[in-house]
Amino acid sequence: MHVFKKPARWLAAAACGMLAAAALPTGAANAAAPGATPPVPGRYRHQVLDWRTCADGALECASMSVPRDWYHPDAGPSLSIEVSRRRAADPAKRRGVLMTAAGGPGASGLPRPARLAAYSPKLAQAYDIVGFDQRGVGASTRVVCSDQSKVDALFASADLRDRSTAAVRQTVERARDFVRDCRTASGGLLPYITTDQAVHDMDLYRQLLGVEKVSYYGPSYATFLGAFYATEFPRSVERVVLDSNIDFTGDWQSFLTGQPMSFQRRFEQDFLPWLAKNDATYHRGRTPEEARAGYERLRAALHEQPLDVEGTVITPNHLDAATTDALYNTDRFAALASLLGFLEHPDRAPAETRKAVAQQFAHPMRADFAADFFTVTCGDTPWNRDIGSWVKQSAEATRSYPLAGARELTFASICASWPRSKAPRIEVTGEGLPPVLMLNSKNDPATYYEAAVRAHRGLAGSRLVTVEGGDHGQFQNHNACVDAHVEAYLLDGALPAGDTTCPAPQP
């Protein structure tokens, strides 16, 4: 789901989606034969990528034309996909192409090759590292929904823990209004901004690069992309690394309903003990119980009187969203602890701090991110469309796992009102694939461990590296054990003999 780095990471990266069973689009192949589409017209197969220096100067970029609908490539206007690459540092030792993608869905993948190359000089020497902005995102053809003011209202205007009849009705109405905006403003794109359509773009990219196979590294939502790509185009992949996994063998709906539990677990088992341990610095409570009570007192105060900081009105939802964002990686705990202190005594902060906090809290989710996120997660497969059942289920999630459970009704109401999906159901089994290296931490709040284990069990031949701790994103997280496994596999094809473990990264 992400989960989104990170444009307004709070709700963005934490979010993923919820799905159910799917119907095939007219003319599409049966799910038993994924990727079976009509022949690619020559105007797409024979195009030449117009490589040029990217705006940041670190990579080469190009624009690729793709069908709007891969199942009907001659119907409708073409879409533009922006792609990037960093050539292997040593062409004589180049072993192939390593494709990488972004999380979210909704994050930009265009700059990813530069980051990966900077982190791992060994991979940069051996691979042309390539990336792309997925259809609907960034410099590619973008999907449009509501403007920023409406998205802000959707996620921040009222306390999402409020379960009164009026509050619930308002949440559902705002969600439906967002969907109406998507229908009106998207220009007919909604049915075609899906994971299945995107992996066909990826394979055309491979063809235009002139290679028979690519290796792949993808974190968070990009595990979903990678698993679908390998399943639909098994002859196109060589080595695959999936980092911080969505359960791509199941559906988004069942995956996301597990997220409130995992965010609450990370908060209670990792952050609150850390906060109590550092009470001498942050003064938030000497025990986890005291620290939690202090958090709830601060939240209740924001419920009674939202805080105006330089024109940004901070509500309890802002606090929950900032907290879930900080739970992604341990190195963000200190910033969250300082933020809690600021919200307790904003009058004591210097002007530059107040301005920084106001900017941080201004938009819980960027409008462009929200447009792509919901288009993909609502459109990949249909949702349960019974709002009444979501009202009941989200009430239980709010009671049991209040930190992230309160947002469930907002996400569910959007996807329950979404146009019915026609995306094909892709069954990921691992059949016919090379072994896949999977990475996941035990207390990852967004791509939680239980889902990763289900995906691992359903992906024949995969190896799972379990990382102690709870950070989201294992490779490129300065964990020597994880890095050694990933580089050994991508460089030499060496996999652990079976599932294995790594300690948490050292701070």
Side-chain angles (χ1 to χ4, degrees), residues 284 294-295 297-298 301 307 339-347:
R284 306 304 305 169
Y295 181 93
R297 283 195 302 272
L298 176 58
L307 179 65
L339 181 62
L340 296 176
F342 168 87
L343 294 174
E344 196 85 61
H345 302 287
D347 52 307

Side-chain angles (χ1 to χ4, degrees), residues 106-128:
S108 171
L110 213 59
R112 296 301 174 100
R115 299 177 196 170
L116 186 55
Y119 185 83
S120 176
K122 292 179 181 178
L123 294 182
Q125 185 178 58
Y127 283 99
D128 289 349

Side-chain angles (χ1 to χ4, degrees), residues 299-430:
R299 193 185 188 285
L302 291 173
H303 176 90
E304 291 300 319
Q305 182 61 58
L307 179 65
D308 189 327
V309 179
E310 304 293 327
T312 296
V313 178
I314 299 174
T315 69
N317 297 329
H318 286 100
L319 175 60
D320 288 344
T323 301
T324 56
D325 174 57
L327 297 180
Y328 275 71
N329 290 87
T330 307
D331 60 11
R332 300 187 207 171
F333 285 7
L336 175 59
S338 296
L339 181 62
L340 296 176
F342 168 87
L343 294 174
E344 196 85 61
H345 302 287
D347 52 307
R348 300 179 184 177
E352 58 269 24
T353 299
R354 292 177 61 85
K355 290 179 181 178
V357 170
Q359 184 176 16
Q360 176 185 359
F361 277 97
H363 307 303
M365 184 184 286
R366 275 200 342 244
D368 57 349
F369 187 98
D372 185 77
F373 174 80
F374 286 107
T375 303
V376 173
T377 56
C378 298
D380 268 354
T381 58
W383 282 43
N384 170 10
R385 303 177 73 85
D386 182 356
I387 291 293
S389 71
W390 284 119
V391 170
K392 293 177 181 178
Q393 182 169 320
S394 63
E396 178 58 35
T398 302
R399 284 191 296 271
S400 300
Y401 312 113
L403 183 63
R407 72 180 187 215
E408 185 173 282
L409 182 60
T410 300
F411 291 113
S413 297
I414 291 173
C415 286
S417 304
W418 203 257
R420 292 188 182 274
S421 174
K422 295 182 179 179
R425 172 70 177 179
I426 307 301
E427 184 179 359
V428 178
T429 66

Side-chain angles (χ1 to χ4, degrees), residues 202-246:
M202 292 164 63
D203 202 58
L204 178 63
Y205 186 20
R206 173 198 62 79
Q207 294 175 54
L208 297 182
L209 289 169
V211 295
E212 291 187 5
K213 294 186 177 186
V214 295
S215 291
Y216 180 85
Y217 166 76
S220 197
Y221 165 68
T223 62
F224 204 93
L225 270 177
F228 270 37
Y229 179 59
T231 298
E232 298 197 54
F233 299 96
R235 296 179 182 177
S236 296
V237 294
E238 183 178 12
R239 296 168 186 172
V240 178
V241 179
L242 304 180
D243 183 349
S244 302
N245 295 265
I246 292 169

Side-chain angles (χ1 to χ4, degrees), residues 18 28 39 48 59 61 90 113 127 138 165 213 223 298 305 349 406 435 457:
M18 306 178 184
V48 177
L59 300 168
C61 286
D90 187 348
Y127 283 99
T165 300
K213 294 186 177 186
T223 62
L298 176 58
Q305 182 61 58
R457 289 172 178 167

Side-chain angles (χ1 to χ4, degrees), residues 1 4 14-16 255-263 407 445-448:
M1 169 230 259
F4 291 265
C16 273
F255 174 77
L256 187 57
T257 52
Q259 273 195 333
M261 174 278 297
S262 55
F263 274 99
R407 72 180 187 215
T447 54
Y448 49 96

